[in-house]
Amino acid sequence: MLFNSALELVAITAALAIPANAAPQPITSPSDLSLTAKLRLADTAIERYELLPNDADFVFDFTKSEVPVASSQNWPALVGVGASFSIGQLPACSMAFLHLHPRATELFSLSSGHIHSEMVPQGGVLDSNNKKKQRVISTELYPGMVTVYPAGSFHSQINPDCEPANFTAAFNSEEFAASLVAGQVFALPDDVVERTFGGSIAGEDVERVRGAIPVDMAIRVEECLAKCGLEKRS
């Protein structure tokens, strides 16, 4: 009740701040809305089905998609479902950037190959052998196995073998999003980065470290490249 009252107060304050002669704002016509927007505005599930009249609307073809992710943005049938899905491949001797999904828990399953998974739970979850150390959950995944990354948890995957690893991932959100830890941390001002790392990165070195962050989602693992006789990407 308090929250609703606060919203009402904000709305009233905003209304009083608008000059009496302010020009009226144009209202977006329903015909101008995307299908996804129309589905979100539908009052009932029945109305959503009416907006998806073709049976093909309920099939997503990854072979024809430019991105390996099926979400409400590129598959409108997911609106109201509360889930999304992804397929992908981690090349030989590569590692996925440390990342998190701010709005979804991920179920990560391997269909071929081998992946070493690392996941850091929320702050305060400590190692059972060292109560002063943050717990890191490390697992080895093989075909037919699945692991869970709770929403907001840091995680990464490493393919330590000479063959690619194929995976699928399910999310309990229509728009799960991904935050790349290194890229977003180093997007902050230099002094913030320096203090975040306790001064272990000197201010004059921040730009050098920032520029060294790879642009690809997956980076190569040096030891594995040597083991498999593969050349490092330029």
mmCIF file of all heavy atoms in Angstrom, residues 12 25 47 56 161 225:
data_model
loop_
_atom_site.group_PDB
_atom_site.id
_atom_site.type_symbol
_atom_site.label_atom_id
_atom_site.label_comp_id
_atom_site.label_asym_id
_atom_site.label_seq_id
_atom_site.Cartn_x
_atom_site.Cartn_y
_atom_site.Cartn_z
ATOM 1 N N ILE A 12 1.228 12.543 -9.305
ATOM 2 C CA ILE A 12 0.592 13.838 -9.042
ATOM 3 C C ILE A 12 1.609 14.967 -9.160
ATOM 4 O O ILE A 12 1.353 16.010 -9.761
ATOM 5 C CB ILE A 12 -0.056 13.840 -7.639
ATOM 6 C CG1 ILE A 12 -1.250 12.863 -7.627
ATOM 7 C CG2 ILE A 12 -0.519 15.235 -7.258
ATOM 8 C CD1 ILE A 12 -1.813 12.636 -6.246
ATOM 9 N N GLN A 25 1.018 15.261 -26.184
ATOM 10 C CA GLN A 25 1.956 14.301 -26.752
ATOM 11 C C GLN A 25 1.211 13.313 -27.645
ATOM 12 O O GLN A 25 0.104 12.885 -27.320
ATOM 13 C CB GLN A 25 2.677 13.533 -25.630
ATOM 14 C CG GLN A 25 3.522 14.423 -24.736
ATOM 15 C CD GLN A 25 4.616 15.117 -25.509
ATOM 16 O OE1 GLN A 25 5.361 14.478 -26.248
ATOM 17 N NE2 GLN A 25 4.707 16.440 -25.358
ATOM 18 N N GLU A 47 -6.416 -13.833 -26.171
ATOM 19 C CA GLU A 47 -6.110 -12.764 -27.121
ATOM 20 C C GLU A 47 -4.730 -12.953 -27.732
ATOM 21 O O GLU A 47 -4.509 -12.632 -28.905
ATOM 22 C CB GLU A 47 -6.199 -11.408 -26.420
ATOM 23 C CG GLU A 47 -7.619 -11.009 -26.044
ATOM 24 C CD GLU A 47 -7.665 -9.626 -25.418
ATOM 25 O OE1 GLU A 47 -6.643 -8.918 -25.461
ATOM 26 O OE2 GLU A 47 -8.728 -9.258 -24.895
ATOM 27 N N ALA A 56 2.754 -22.133 -37.553
ATOM 28 C CA ALA A 56 4.195 -21.913 -37.678
ATOM 29 C C ALA A 56 4.704 -20.866 -36.694
ATOM 30 O O ALA A 56 5.902 -20.803 -36.422
ATOM 31 C CB ALA A 56 4.535 -21.490 -39.104
ATOM 32 N N ASP A 161 39.278 -29.677 -24.291
ATOM 33 C CA ASP A 161 39.586 -30.757 -25.223
ATOM 34 C C ASP A 161 39.776 -30.255 -26.650
ATOM 35 O O ASP A 161 39.573 -29.078 -26.948
ATOM 36 C CB ASP A 161 38.481 -31.811 -25.176
ATOM 37 C CG ASP A 161 38.482 -32.587 -23.872
ATOM 38 O OD1 ASP A 161 39.474 -32.473 -23.109
ATOM 39 O OD2 ASP A 161 37.495 -33.302 -23.600
ATOM 40 N N LEU A 225 45.666 -25.353 -26.613
ATOM 41 C CA LEU A 225 46.117 -25.162 -27.991
ATOM 42 C C LEU A 225 47.396 -25.953 -28.253
ATOM 43 O O LEU A 225 47.546 -26.613 -29.284
ATOM 44 C CB LEU A 225 46.366 -23.679 -28.258
ATOM 45 C CG LEU A 225 45.140 -22.778 -28.346
ATOM 46 C CD1 LEU A 225 45.575 -21.313 -28.406
ATOM 47 C CD2 LEU A 225 44.298 -23.119 -29.564
#
